[in-house]
Amino acid sequence: MTTHASAAFGVPRAGYQRFIVLALITVILAVSTGDRATLSVAGPGIAKDLGISAVNMGWLFSAFSWSYFIAQVPSGYIVDRTGAKAAMLISLTGWSIAIALVSGVGYFAYPVVALYVLRFVLGLLEGPVTPASARVIAAWFPSDERGVAGAIFNSAQYLSLAIFTPLMGALFHYFGWQHIFSVMGVTGLVLAIIWWVAYFAPSRHPRVTKEEIAYIKAGGALTDVGGEKIKGDEAQVPARQVARQILTNRMLLGIFLAQYCISTLSTFFISWFPSYLVQERHFSMLQAGFVASLPAIFGCIGGVSTGFFSDWLLRRSGSLSLARKVPITIGLGLSSAIILCNYTDANAVVVAIMCAAFFGKGFGALGWTVVADTAPKEAIGLTGGLFNAAGSIGGVITPVAIGYIIEGTGSFHGALLYVGLHVIGAVISYWVIVGRIERFKIAKPADNPVNAGFILAKGGDRGC
């Protein structure tokens, strides 16, 4: 019998349906990231056509994050109750229609208001994507494959920018900014059909083998939550009490704080980075589209490689905390080098630094893997929603803060310092606040209520 300690990622004898599932949610995240980045590429043209200032453009960028933040906790709750399949279908179909409608904002009496509303709706409807995906990963992958699975899934945001940014730049250059939104909307609707036809929970999948189910279940996969509705013991604790326990757990709070800090870098790249290249570094929009794809490619490489490194470190050390924290520290330490762009006038050096920073962002982006490792099995969607909500706060604040920094100083220097210091804060949070990384257990009504606050799941490694 093949053991997990000796098995490589992708053992043929164990089956392969989990990898098809992983590919599917990775593509969905890539499209969702591309859709939220549409405004960053179309921004210079929209700002020119509609007469939008830097501050107002910052507010438009943040509209998505406001609604995305509002949607996270309800989305996580809905995913846990309805299952990943239905939640993802409604989400993907709805936001694809919203993004397609942006192509026609010029026909509205108040186009800027219409654009803000549609960006707000986009954020609301993208809410279920990552909570549903975290639930899927926890259900389909054993612990010692989860780092790679989470890293590949997370790399979708970089793959998305690498593929869609030059595509959207070309659409902008040759056809106009309106076609960016129409093409992305149609792409999402096609993907929604594929999702409905192809995705099943482990217990309902028509093509999964008994050997694969046994393999992933023996390795810690929560095969009973991969899209099924909550039932039985999992529904005994009221959602409000579950949320209270999660929000009073030091480990999870530290993870949420780190995600807020990390999101400043992600938000910069999917909002202001093309404008930085055009305004501060004087690239054309077509050039900026292709140049912006280079850091994304490096981010994708970092995002995939960290999963293999983290899972290897887990097998070697036996410490889940070290296996997750060491890559996070190395990667985010490298990302903080973005501040160095303020000290060079050479565009080639700037692009190289951005590539290194994005590689580090990818290498340190194990947040969703950590959520899959730590979330209570009754509330993986809710925990993922709270985790994403924390990141969304950074998404709300960052574009507006950068807009005011640019308006007040006339340059991006302060913006890069703002981003770099937040990345350093994420590393501090993981080492000072998070402590041991392990599965958090919800205290049931029969348990001692005194221990329902800062309770941590027993077991796991010590000292980290």
Side-chain angles (χ1 to χ4, degrees), residues 393-442:
I393 295 173
V396 168
I397 296 172
T398 300
V400 176
I402 290 177
Y404 277 105
I405 290 170
I406 295 169
E407 192 88 355
T409 65
S411 79
F412 279 81
H413 287 199
L416 297 184
L417 180 62
Y418 176 91
V419 171
L421 291 177
H422 273 78
V423 170
I424 294 171
V427 176
I428 295 172
S429 182
Y430 264 102
W431 287 103
V432 176
I433 300 175
V434 171
R436 288 175 293 165
I437 293 177
E438 56 193 349
R439 178 80 58 196
F440 175 59
K441 294 180 180 177
I442 294 295

Side-chain angles (χ1 to χ4, degrees), residues 99 119 255 260 281 295 420 429:
I99 202 71
R119 289 285 294 181
I255 293 168
Y260 156 75
R281 297 296 170 175
S429 182

